[in-house]
Amino acid sequence: MASVSNQPTKITRTERGLVIAGTRITLYQFMDYIHGGYARLLIRQYFPQITDEQFEATMSYIAANRAEVEAEYQMVVKNDEEIRQYWEEQNRECFAQIARLPPPPGLEKAWAKLQAAKAKLESKS
């Protein structure tokens, strides 16, 4: 693992990309919230397992290296989408078979409500 900051214990690069040292939390997870327009305080609440010092170091690193982190984040998002599409295609027939199954015994009324709700959502699209 190579250090990528002046503070070697804060942000490191692993095979998973940029992570908070000593954790499995990537900076790309923070970028999801930043892109979502979440307030800094709300982002902090989504990561209770890290210290305030780690949080501040992460946010500072992102701010100081925004172009690099953003470029890597875009690659991660693109890769995740390609993987999702691949598995969706691989499982298309299985999903179709599941959709054709009858409702579980005793849940016919709930099943009918679910189907009605799905139809309503689809009609709004």
Side-chain angles (χ1 to χ4, degrees), residues 10-60:
K10 305 296 182 214
I11 306 299
T12 59
R13 181 173 298 283
T14 68
E15 66 280 352
R16 300 177 70 231
L18 295 169
V19 299
I20 300 171
T23 74
R24 293 181 48 89
I25 301 171
T26 67
L27 272 60
Y28 320 120
Q29 292 170 269
F30 279 76
M31 294 301 288
D32 286 338
Y33 293 111
I34 291 169
H35 276 263
Y38 287 67
R40 187 180 177 99
L41 183 59
L42 189 55
I43 296 171
R44 176 66 186 106
Q45 292 175 352
Y46 283 109
F47 297 97
Q49 65 275 40
I50 63 173
T51 66
D52 288 339
E53 182 182 5
Q54 288 171 312
F55 178 79
E56 291 303 324
T58 300
M59 296 302 281
S60 295

